[in-house]
Amino acid sequence: MNNKRIIPTEVGIACGYAVFTVDDMELERVRERADEEMYQRKKEMKM
């Protein structure tokens, strides 16, 4: 839709990921790391 100029605004997507390692005890902590990375990228996009 944005290529057709229907939406008169710029669109961006921030994503983050984390790899589960042998040191990880909880999957939730891995998700939290991915979430932190996503918010860092989102912050960088606004600069």
Side-chain angles (χ1 to χ4, degrees), residues 12 14-15 19 24 28 30 37 39 45 47:
C15 62
V19 176
D24 291 312
E28 179 62 17
V30 179
E37 182 177 327
Y39 280 110
M45 290 172 66
M47 295 176 143

Side-chain angles (χ1 to χ4, degrees), residues 9-22:
T9 187
E10 196 171 309
V11 177
I13 297 174
C15 62
Y17 70 92
V19 176
F20 194 92
T21 68
V22 293

Side-chain angles (χ1 to χ4, degrees), residues 3-5 8 12-13 16 18 22 25 27 32 34-35 43:
N3 288 338
K4 297 178 184 178
R5 306 283 186 221
I13 297 174
V22 293
M25 294 296 191
L27 184 58
E32 288 172 356
D35 204 40
K43 182 179 175 181

Side-chain angles (χ1 to χ4, degrees), residues 30-44:
V30 179
R31 188 206 56 81
E32 288 172 356
R33 286 198 319 265
D35 204 40
E36 290 168 6
E37 182 177 327
M38 185 262 312
Y39 280 110
Q40 179 62 36
R41 289 183 181 194
K42 187 174 183 176
K43 182 179 175 181
E44 291 170 0

